[in-house]
Amino acid sequence: MGLWFDEIYDDMMRFGLRVEETLYSATSPFQKIDIVKTTKHGRALLLDELWMTSEGDEFYYHEMIAHPAMTTAPQIERVLVIGGGDGGTIREVLSYPEVKECVLVEIDGLVVDACRKWLPAIGTAWEDPRLTVVIEDAIAWVKAPDRGKFDVILVDGSDPVGPAEGLFGTPFYEACRSILHPHGVLVTQSESPVIYRETHLMAVRRLEEVFGNAWPYYSVVPIYNGGEWSWTYASAQTSPFDIIESRATRAEDHTRLYNSAYHRGAFAIPNRIKKELGR
Ligand code: SPD
């Protein structure tokens, strides 16, 4: 049988991968961090025993958190990434030459150190001179008075238990709005519409209240329990349907999933969610 690692959901459902070896294991003040070598997906990161990303499937998540905002925001000079300590989201952001500054605010420095060492195939942009890495609690960081305004904010947190819980709260969304240009776009990972439906709906409703508009969108992430995953796009003035085709076409030079047709399709809301959101 060998060694398997299972992420167990609510004592009812599990998603497992065969693991050949544990490469790194530590407990930070915030969480348990493991990097393992899986047979199917190569090296993978777990936080508090939940799958976060893997070399083999990471593009499903990182392309979809980054490109819908990056191809529609009118300006993409200043980008803030919250969480994202594995480096996959900043890699996609920094693939745009229009980006002049990208700030990554991650609460757990140990995650960044471990991923830089053990997941270099995912984090290929750590040395980009446009990047500033800040190890701080983003919930406090976004509230400080001197942050300036951003064009895009991407919230790449873990599940809303432990350190990431506040990343789903209205006060955090309000603080993000205050440091986003009115034309700016915020995208947050908004959980599985299959197994965390209530959390998903709550995030969409809160973002809609704060920004006036919120569009959930959907795709798959093979290593996440439930399979189907969601992100939510919020902006006071910008629509996710106004794709700047020249940017999308350039992104497609390297993307494995994302293209502008996929982007449009991802914003189709499944009926069960549509009804719950009253749309
Ligand atoms: N259930 C896992 C949710 C994790 C979302 N963030 C993943 C981090 C990848 N950069």
Side-chain angles (χ1 to χ4, degrees):
M1 275 296 283
L3 186 61
W4 284 75
F5 189 87
D6 290 339
E7 172 182 321
I8 299 172
Y9 164 67
D10 233 8
D11 207 20
M12 287 188 296
M13 179 176 170
R14 55 179 61 196
F15 172 78
L17 287 170
R18 183 188 289 280
V19 167
E20 293 171 4
E21 111 187 77
T22 296
L23 300 166
Y24 174 88
S25 194
T27 300
S28 76
F30 304 102
Q31 57 211 337
K32 184 167 185 292
I33 306 164
D34 292 287
I35 297 180
V36 296
K37 180 164 186 305
T38 69
T39 306
K40 172 69 184 157
H41 286 309
R43 294 180 178 189
L45 168 71
L46 298 114
L47 295 179
D48 284 337
E49 306 196 334
L50 302 173
W51 296 108
M52 289 293 130
T53 198
S54 77
E55 289 174 333
D57 88 324
E58 57 92 11
F59 63 94
Y60 286 94
Y61 179 91
H62 293 124
E63 291 185 11
M64 288 308 280
I65 194 170
H67 295 297
M70 296 301 287
T71 58
T72 53
Q75 206 173 284
I76 52 172
E77 287 187 4
R78 228 177 148 234
V79 179
L80 172 64
V81 176
I82 289 169
D86 52 62
T89 299
I90 55 169
R91 178 198 69 219
E92 293 305 313
V93 166
L94 289 163
S95 70
Y96 290 83
E98 294 94 329
V99 174
K100 292 196 171 139
E101 184 189 8
C102 176
V103 182
L104 175 87
V105 183
E106 160 65 57
I107 195 169
D108 197 340
L110 216 50
V111 171
V112 173
D113 293 345
C115 292
R116 286 186 76 150
K117 175 160 186 199
W118 293 104
L119 300 176
I122 295 178
T124 55
W126 290 114
E127 301 301 330
D128 192 305
R130 297 170 293 167
L131 175 69
T132 303
V133 177
V134 178
I135 303 301
E136 259 183 63
D137 181 356
I139 295 165
W141 192 91
V142 293
K143 291 185 185 141
D146 53 353
R147 299 300 178 213
K149 297 275 187 198
F150 288 88
D151 298 305
V152 172
I153 300 179
L154 303 177
V155 186
D156 180 10
S158 45
D159 301 295
V161 279
E165 197 176 344
L167 300 180
F168 287 77
T170 299
F172 171 71
Y173 295 150
E174 283 168 342
C176 286
R177 185 174 176 179
S178 74
I179 59 167
L180 195 62
H181 285 296
H183 62 254
V185 174
L186 176 142
V187 164
T188 183
Q189 79 87 354
S190 50
E191 294 294 312
S192 162
V194 179
I195 61 170
Y196 300 119
R197 200 181 53 175
E198 287 313 314
T199 309
H200 171 59
L201 292 168
M202 178 197 74
V204 179
R205 289 186 184 120
R206 286 179 177 170
L207 284 163
E208 191 170 26
E209 265 169 41
V210 171
F211 286 84
N213 303 295
W215 294 264
Y217 63 97
Y218 305 90
S219 186
V220 293
V221 180
I223 67 164
Y224 290 172
N225 247 325
E228 187 184 22
W229 205 254
S230 81
W231 299 262
T232 299
Y233 180 115
S235 178
Q237 292 184 0
T238 299
S239 153
F241 302 105
D242 294 334
I243 303 173
I244 299 167
E245 289 292 341
S246 56
R247 274 197 219 150
T249 306
R250 261 192 288 124
E252 282 178 44
D253 283 345
H254 79 275
T255 54
R256 285 177 277 177
L257 179 80
Y258 181 86
N259 59 48
S260 57
Y262 197 91
H263 172 144
R264 284 192 193 88
F267 281 85
I269 307 178
N271 260 11
R272 67 189 192 285
I273 301 290
K274 215 169 155 177
K275 286 179 186 158
E276 301 252 24
L277 291 172
R279 296 189 183 186

